[in-house]
Amino acid sequence: MRSAHFLASVVTAAAAVIALANPASAAPVNYVALGDSYASGLGTGSYDGTSGSCKRGPYAYPALYAAATAPASFKSVACSGARTGDVVTQANTLTSATNLVTVQVGGNDAGFTDVITTCTFGSDQDCINRVNTAKSYAANTLPGLLNNVYGTIRSKAPSARVVVLGYPRMYKVPGTCNVGLSDTKRAAINSGSDALHSTISARAGAAGFTYVDVRGVFSGHEICSSSWWLNSLSWPVEESYHPNRAGHASGYLPALRGVVG
């Protein structure tokens, strides 16, 4: 009886050792990217012909992540100009098999394009006023819109790891640029990025999602720094104030991999 018990213990211990030496294979990664122009890759200058006005391209951080990690499946439905309501629609591409989702949205809802236009052509005070309007929207209206986006994602992909990416500050203040926007305008625009960070990070956390703050990784690489990872006023104009290829490859991609692997 004692021998049988001893033998059973040895077998159990051996099985445990084998299990540790041969861990179960990780589940295949089925990755879907949602979001706006920052997620689609607008600003990188190269786009998939089938994506049309959405401007999805191979140098966007979702495509770079997929190329680097070779998930079992990858689909980006991010689209230039997308707002929260558009991303709710994008979430229809998610399924119960989706186990990794990245999402980036909120800047267009808060009026990103109009902020840049007002600050480019208006006075310092015009710029400050428009940024303050955007910051009020980010604090008071955007939270509910993001809750809807994040709730929809969770309902469509209940087992997925969801990573929410934020936006960088636009400008180094003071910086090396001696033309263009004043430092007052540049600082105001940066404060708008900080307001978006506060709201998006809070709502992502409340949803149980992982939030990636990219302001630190872009520090020293803003417009008017010595090494820009963002376009200033560019041609085509729509590529202005978006991450360039370096911004995606050296900014967003490492930040994403830092939390996902």
Side-chain angles (χ1 to χ4, degrees), residues 43-241:
T44 62
S46 179
Y47 310 107
D48 301 329
T50 58
S51 69
S53 61
C54 284
K55 300 292 185 179
R56 288 187 290 271
Y59 298 103
Y61 68 81
L64 294 175
Y65 180 81
T69 61
S73 67
F74 165 62
K75 183 176 183 64
S76 175
V77 291
C79 190
S80 177
R83 300 176 61 155
T84 49
D86 301 304
V87 175
V88 168
T89 300
Q90 291 175 15
N92 288 327
T93 59
L94 305 177
T95 71
S96 59
T98 306
N99 54 11
L100 176 61
V101 178
T102 58
V103 57
Q104 184 171 16
V105 71
N108 290 325
D109 293 80
F112 171 75
T113 300
D114 191 53
V115 166
I116 293 298
T117 300
T118 300
C119 290
T120 299
F121 297 107
S123 66
D124 282 2
Q125 193 59 51
D126 290 336
C127 178
I128 291 170
N129 292 344
R130 183 61 186 88
V131 170
N132 284 341
T133 298
K135 288 161 68 173
S136 177
Y137 185 97
N140 299 306
T141 303
L142 187 58
L145 299 174
L146 291 174
N147 289 344
N148 187 36
V149 171
Y150 300 157
T152 301
I153 291 171
R154 180 51 71 216
S155 69
K156 299 286 186 179
S159 300
R161 179 168 191 185
V162 182
V163 180
V164 179
L165 293 105
Y167 300 91
R169 295 187 181 103
M170 291 284 108
Y171 286 97
K172 179 75 172 177
V173 182
T176 59
C177 302
N178 54 17
V179 295
L181 304 187
S182 66
D183 279 350
T184 297
K185 291 180 177 181
R186 293 168 184 164
I189 292 170
N190 283 352
S191 74
S193 296
D194 290 339
L196 283 174
H197 158 76
S198 295
T199 294
I200 296 171
S201 62
R203 301 329 306 155
F209 297 165
T210 301
Y211 174 73
V212 178
D213 180 4
V214 299
R215 295 174 304 165
V217 74
F218 272 80
S219 180
H221 299 283
E222 309 93 335
I223 299 169
C224 297
S225 69
S226 60
S227 174
W228 300 15
W229 287 356
L230 294 148
N231 298 326
S232 184
L233 188 60
S234 306
W235 185 260
V237 173
E238 64 183 358
E239 298 202 2
S240 304
Y241 303 103

Side-chain angles (χ1 to χ4, degrees), residues 30-43:
N30 297 302
Y31 170 31
V32 178
L34 313 175
D36 57 22
S37 55
Y38 271 59
S40 73
L42 179 63

